């Protein structure tokens, strides 16, 4: 018969106390990495949005420069197109109050003949019908449309004669 020896019992110790501070800190490491990654991703996303907005504003201004130049052209057709583009640009969400005020200057230049008639104390409201060439009428109607849009964007009241002139087909 072979003699068997009984192994000594293994002692199992169960701790009910709180873990050491380092153990807790080590277990939070992956969570901290996840939070840092989320913050970095948000900052990157926001930076890309800001850059994209700046690029859109730059393109908006380049278009506005072209349209302002066209609206001052000696060619009546080019002036009408320039004023039409300025009107579209003024309606854009990229055009704030300051941009609308800048574009309003272009409309005022084309409406200068009629505006000077309003400067007199007893001056009558000018007729909305232009007595000059049809090209002049198209330019003034385009300028009136631009003025209506910029006034709305700025929050100003547009004179009724300009509103009526803006209804003229271009």
């Amino acid at each position: 018969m072979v003699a068997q020896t009984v192994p000594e019992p293994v002692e199992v110790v169960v701790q009910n106390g709180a873990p050491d501070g380092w153990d807790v800190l080590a277990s939070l490491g992956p969570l901290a990495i996840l939070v840092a990654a989320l913050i970095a991703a948000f900052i990157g996303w926001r930076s890309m949005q800001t850059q994209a907005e700046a690029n859109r504003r730059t393109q908006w201004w380049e278009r506005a420069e072209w349209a302002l130049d066209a609206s001052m052209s000696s060619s009546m057709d080019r002036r009408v197109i320039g004023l039409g583009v300025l009107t579209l640009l003024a309606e854009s969400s990229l055009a704030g109050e300051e941009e609308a005020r800048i574009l309003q200057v272009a409309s005022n230049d084309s409406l200068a003949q009629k505006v000077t008639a309003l400067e007199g104390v007893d001056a009558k409201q000018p007729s909305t019908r232009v007595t000059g060439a049809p090209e002049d009428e198209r330019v003034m109607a385009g300028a009136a449309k631009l003025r209506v849009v910029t006034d709305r964007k700025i929050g100003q009241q547009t004179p009724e004669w300009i509103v009526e002139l803006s209804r003229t087909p271009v």
Side-chain angles (χ1 to χ4, degrees), residues 3 15 27 46 51 62 71 75 93 97 114 128 139 150 159 163:
Q15 294 182 348
S27 67
R46 188 67 184 125
Q51 184 63 40
E62 288 171 359
S71 72
S75 165
S93 63
E97 184 176 327
K114 291 203 177 254
T128 57
V139 168
T150 57
V163 173

Side-chain angles (χ1 to χ4, degrees), residues 20-37:
D20 292 320
W22 291 109
D23 292 339
V24 172
L25 189 60
S27 67
L28 293 178
L31 180 62
I33 291 171
L34 177 63
V35 169

Side-chain angles (χ1 to χ4, degrees), residues 83 86-87 90 103-104 106-107 141-151:
L83 288 166
L86 287 175
T87 302
L103 297 181
Q104 194 176 49
S107 70
K145 288 176 186 178
L146 175 59
R147 176 67 185 271
V148 168
V149 170
T150 57
D151 282 351

Side-chain angles (χ1 to χ4, degrees), residues 114-125:
K114 291 203 177 254
V115 171
T116 53
L118 291 176
E119 290 177 352
V121 177
D122 296 329
K124 293 181 180 179
Q125 182 173 348

Side-chain angles (χ1 to χ4, degrees), residues 1-7:
M1 172 159 308
V2 178
Q4 281 188 327
T5 60
V6 177

Side-chain angles (χ1 to χ4, degrees), residues 80-152:
V80 169
I81 291 170
L83 288 166
V85 171
L86 287 175
T87 302
L88 291 173
L89 290 171
E91 292 172 341
S92 168
S93 63
L94 296 172
E97 184 176 327
E98 183 177 341
E99 289 83 1
R101 289 185 188 278
I102 291 170
L103 297 181
Q104 194 176 49
V105 172
S107 70
N108 288 344
D109 182 60
S110 295
L111 293 170
Q113 297 168 336
K114 291 203 177 254
V115 171
T116 53
L118 291 176
E119 290 177 352
V121 177
D122 296 329
K124 293 181 180 179
Q125 182 173 348
S127 165
T128 57
R129 185 81 179 138
V130 178
T131 57
E135 293 84 19
D136 290 337
E137 185 174 341
R138 290 176 48 218
V139 168
M140 293 193 60
K145 288 176 186 178
L146 175 59
R147 176 67 185 271
V148 168
V149 170
T150 57
D151 282 351
R152 182 176 49 232

